[in-house]
């Protein structure tokens, strides 16, 4: 099946099977390997991408479902070689260790800050609870999201 | 044949994908393919089952592009919720928060933000898990299911919709179109509570309560219990017991005993034994009734308080 959609701001086309998952389309055809295969059953959030701006799980989405829609992956976040404030804050706060959860974590945090530009720690933890991290213990991730929020507020 | 349920990287079989634009078109596909077809809404349950080969549908009917199946409408007889309405839409709806707070309280506990951006209310009900979190509040609300099929439309009480674990009253050529929830009685207090492995896990036991008092005496009480029987159930015996009584500690205890007496063990329960579910359903009954009463009195109650 032929599908067309917007991927990181660019109109793209792809030929997919009905059983192709969005995650595998992104990784294998578009070579965007930021979104990760973690659990495959909707518990870890490593495959999170934004669909029309909302975080969803690309491992539980058929590729055909995104026909005519807009997908943003972590690769689409930095503009003109300039990191997104969230990406910078994650680096500065040491919110990245192995990095496996980071793309999903940052995309979910991006949706949070668009919805709620000044979240409390509880609100950050609640919003990010579908993104599991086995390294950091979350403390620096929460700090990074707060820092990015402050920076984005100017 | 040995199936590795841990390989959830791909969907390991082929199927045909259909994306009908109207309910009529969807029903036509359903009557053509019957039991070989599965309806895809949010996919958060269906795709997991397909990856694990629990089911292998030959046809997938994606109903997300049918506009008539999404949205929340305020009507005279209650609030109508399209089956393909996302949980996140319910969570963000002021109407649901104000008019059906017990449903709102349940929805915000369901999965993660990502899951709620995908999963639909109809999917949660049609998946028919005995502990479906949207089911218990809607049962307590006396909600009805609007079903469409090739023979036309029918409306049944949600209590008759669930017939077993993963089984609903839907015939192969039928689909859930809408959930209709009557408004709450005036001055009613409500509460939804659940216990699961983790905060966003599916409930092991959940419970929804709607309480209306006349002075200090119970005028009406509705209790729905999930995760304790082959389907989510209403506990009518406890409701009848409570009518006309003051909510003393003894009365709460007795009501809780009646509720926990409805735990019907299933052979497939691996996550928690019957004794645990009895203990939890007893505790949740007392807590939920207490919280519902506090809410009638206008007291702020946080989830998880005492």
């Amino acid at each position: 099946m032929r599908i067309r959609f917007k991927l990181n701001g660019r109109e793209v086309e792809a030929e997919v099977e009905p059983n192709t998952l969005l995650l595998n389309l992104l990784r294998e055809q578009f070579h965007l390997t930021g979104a990760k295969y973690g659990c495959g059953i909707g518990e870890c959030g490593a495959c999170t991408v934004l669909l029309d701006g909302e975080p969803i799980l690309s491992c539980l989405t058929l590729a055909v479902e995104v026909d005519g829609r807009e997908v943003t992956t972590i690769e689409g976040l930095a503009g003109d070689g300039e990191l997104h404030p969230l990406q910078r804050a994650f680096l500065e706060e040491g919110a990245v260790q192995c990095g496996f959860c980071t793309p999903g974590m940052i995309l979910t945090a991006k949706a949070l800050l668009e919805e709620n530009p000044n979240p409390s720690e509880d609100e950050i933890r609640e919003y990010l609870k579908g993104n599991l991290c086995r390294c950091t213990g979350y403390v620096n991730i929460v700090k990074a999201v707060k820092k990015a929020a402050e920076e984005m507020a100017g | 044949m040995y199936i590795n349920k841990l390989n959830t990287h791909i969907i390991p079989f082929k199927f045909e994908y259909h994306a009908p634009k109207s309910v009529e078109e969807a029903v036509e596909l359903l009557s053509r393919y019957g039991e070989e077809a599965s309806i895809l809404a949010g996919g958060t349950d269906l795709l997991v089952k397909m990856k694990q080969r629990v089911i292998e549908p030959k046809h997938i009917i994606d109903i997300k592009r049918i506009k008539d199946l999404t949205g929340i409408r305020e009507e005279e007889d209650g609030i109508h919720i399209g089956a393909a309405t996302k949980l996140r839409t319910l969570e963000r709806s002021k109407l649901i928060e104000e008019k059906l707070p017990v449903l709102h309280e349940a929805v915000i506990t369901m999965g993660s933000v990502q899951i709620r951006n995908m999963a639909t209310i109809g999917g949660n009900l049609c998946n028919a898990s005995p502990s479906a979190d949207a089911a218990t509040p809607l049962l307590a609300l006396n909600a009805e299911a609007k079903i469409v099929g090739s023979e036309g439309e029918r409306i049944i009480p949600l209590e008759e919709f669930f017939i077993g674990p993963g089984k609903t009253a839907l015939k192969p050529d039928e689909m859930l179109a809408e959930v209709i929830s009557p408004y709450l009685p005036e001055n009613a207090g409500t509460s939804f509570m659940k216990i699961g492995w983790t905060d966003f896990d599916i409930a092991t036991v959940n419970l929804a309560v709607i309480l209306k008092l006349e002075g200090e005496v119970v005028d009406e009480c509705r209790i729905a219990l999930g995760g304790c029987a082959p389907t989510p159930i209403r506990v009518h015996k406890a409701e009848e017991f409570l009518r006309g009584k003051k909510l003393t500690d003894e009365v709460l205890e007795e009501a809780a005993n009646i509720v926990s007496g409805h735990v019907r063990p299933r052979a497939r329960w691996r996550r928690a034994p019957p004794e645990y579910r009895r203990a939890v359903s007893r505790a949740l009954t007392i807590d939920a009734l207490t919280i519902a009463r506090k809410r009638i009195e206008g007291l702020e109650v946080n989830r998880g308080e005492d």
Side-chain angles (χ1 to χ4, degrees):
Chain A
M1 297 177 82
R2 193 129 198 101
I3 60 166
R4 296 175 62 134
F5 63 106
K6 208 177 209 183
L7 178 57
N8 294 332
R10 224 158 39 89
E11 287 291 342
V12 295
E13 279 189 19
E15 189 64 35
V16 300
E17 294 293 328
N19 66 347
T20 305
L21 295 163
L22 176 59
L23 175 65
N24 298 340
L25 170 72
L26 295 172
R27 292 179 59 89
E28 290 158 18
Q29 284 195 41
F30 290 100
H31 306 293
L32 299 174
T33 54
K36 301 288 189 285
Y37 167 63
C39 68
I41 55 173
E43 295 188 353
C44 76
C47 68
T48 301
V49 300
L50 302 180
L51 181 59
D52 297 333
E54 303 270 16
I56 56 114
L57 303 171
S58 62
C59 84
L60 289 181
T61 303
L62 298 178
V64 287
E65 294 179 64
V66 305
D67 188 32
R69 303 179 69 182
E70 186 170 354
V71 176
T72 308
T73 69
I74 192 71
E75 290 88 348
L77 220 57
D80 290 334
E82 181 84 8
L83 289 180
H84 186 278
L86 270 164
Q87 293 173 307
R88 214 163 39 234
F90 267 64
L91 286 175
E92 287 167 3
E93 291 296 332
V96 176
Q97 285 184 34
C98 86
F100 200 85
C101 74
T102 313
M105 202 65 90
I106 289 181
L107 289 171
T108 310
K110 180 176 185 281
L112 164 66
L113 295 185
E114 268 160 31
E115 209 174 304
N116 178 359
N118 186 23
S120 66
E121 173 166 349
D122 282 353
E123 286 168 335
I124 295 170
R125 285 180 179 272
E126 174 68 25
Y127 206 96
L128 294 181
K129 77 181 176 190
N131 293 84
L132 303 186
C133 172
R134 303 300 301 269
C135 308
T136 65
Y138 302 99
V139 172
N140 289 352
I141 291 175
V142 174
K143 276 191 199 158
V145 176
K146 283 216 127 173
K147 185 171 192 174
E150 280 159 27
E151 194 179 316
M152 287 162 76
Chain B
M1 186 178 73
Y2 173 74
I3 293 169
N4 180 1
K5 286 194 174 179
L6 294 177
N7 180 7
T8 51
H9 204 142
I10 56 167
I11 298 174
F13 57 90
K14 289 194 185 302
F15 53 83
E16 245 183 84
Y17 174 83
H18 309 267
K21 294 267 164 45
S22 68
V23 174
E24 295 73 41
E25 216 182 308
V27 167
E28 204 181 292
L29 288 163
L30 276 176
S31 42
R32 193 179 318 155
Y33 299 119
E35 277 164 9
E36 293 197 331
S38 284
I39 291 182
L40 169 66
T44 55
D45 285 313
L46 183 76
L47 262 55
V48 173
K49 286 185 190 167
M50 287 167 64
K51 286 176 167 191
Q52 298 179 337
R53 289 198 158 176
V54 176
I55 52 167
E56 290 190 40
K58 293 196 169 65
H59 296 270
I60 287 294
I61 303 173
D62 182 354
I63 59 166
K64 275 192 298 293
R65 300 194 188 239
I66 304 177
K67 288 214 174 59
D68 287 350
L69 289 180
T70 56
I72 305 163
R73 285 191 343 265
E74 208 175 356
E75 306 245 330
E76 214 163 291
D77 62 343
I79 293 183
H80 293 231
I81 306 169
T85 306
K86 296 201 186 305
L87 297 179
R88 197 96 173 106
T89 308
L90 296 173
E91 177 182 358
R92 285 171 168 158
S93 161
K94 283 278 161 245
L95 188 66
I96 297 294
E97 193 176 352
E98 278 162 28
K99 304 280 185 181
L100 306 177
V102 67
L103 177 61
H104 192 263
E105 196 176 13
V107 165
I108 59 175
T109 72
M110 294 172 72
S112 57
V113 169
Q114 290 94 320
I115 295 282
R116 295 198 298 278
N117 277 331
M118 303 166 75
T120 65
I121 184 108
N124 187 248
L125 299 176
C126 293
N127 188 52
S129 161
S131 57
D133 282 324
T136 37
L138 286 166
L139 281 173
L141 284 160
N142 288 331
E144 294 174 313
K146 184 168 131 187
I147 294 167
V148 289
S150 49
E151 312 256 291
E153 188 182 301
R154 62 188 178 113
I155 293 179
I156 61 167
L158 201 60
E159 227 181 325
E160 291 167 22
F161 183 75
F162 304 109
I163 55 176
K167 291 200 177 69
T168 67
L170 291 171
K171 296 183 192 123
D173 68 337
E174 285 184 327
M175 62 189 278
L176 181 66
E178 203 170 76
V179 183
I180 307 165
S181 171
Y183 296 103
L184 281 173
E186 241 175 274
N187 301 322
T190 69
S191 176
F192 170 84
M193 304 199 84
K194 79 183 215 186
I195 295 278
W197 266 6
T198 69
D199 195 26
F200 76 84
D201 222 332
I202 186 165
T204 304
V205 177
N206 61 19
L207 186 119
V209 157
I210 295 175
L211 178 69
K212 188 173 184 313
L213 297 175
E214 187 74 54
E216 282 184 44
V217 166
V218 175
D219 180 36
E220 187 188 357
C221 181
R222 303 185 216 144
I223 301 174
L225 175 69
C228 290
T231 68
I233 54 168
R234 276 282 289 273
V235 191
H236 294 291
K237 270 196 183 150
E239 298 175 2
E240 280 151 30
F241 166 77
L242 285 166
R243 189 169 302 126
K245 293 205 174 60
K246 272 192 195 175
L247 288 178
T248 60
D249 288 352
E250 294 72 37
V251 167
L252 287 175
E253 283 284 341
E254 184 51 30
N257 285 337
I258 298 173
V259 171
S260 67
H262 281 68
V263 173
R264 284 166 56 198
R266 288 174 60 205
R268 286 187 57 222
W269 277 353
R270 285 181 293 252
R271 295 194 301 169
E275 309 81 68
Y276 177 79
R277 290 177 203 253
R278 280 192 199 101
V280 169
S281 58
R282 190 179 295 127
L284 292 188
T285 306
I286 294 173
D287 286 356
L289 282 167
T290 306
I291 288 174
R293 179 172 55 182
K294 283 188 184 170
R295 285 179 175 157
I296 295 175
E297 292 162 1
L299 298 173
E300 275 290 315
V301 186
N302 292 324
R303 237 176 11 108
E305 189 182 280
D306 52 60

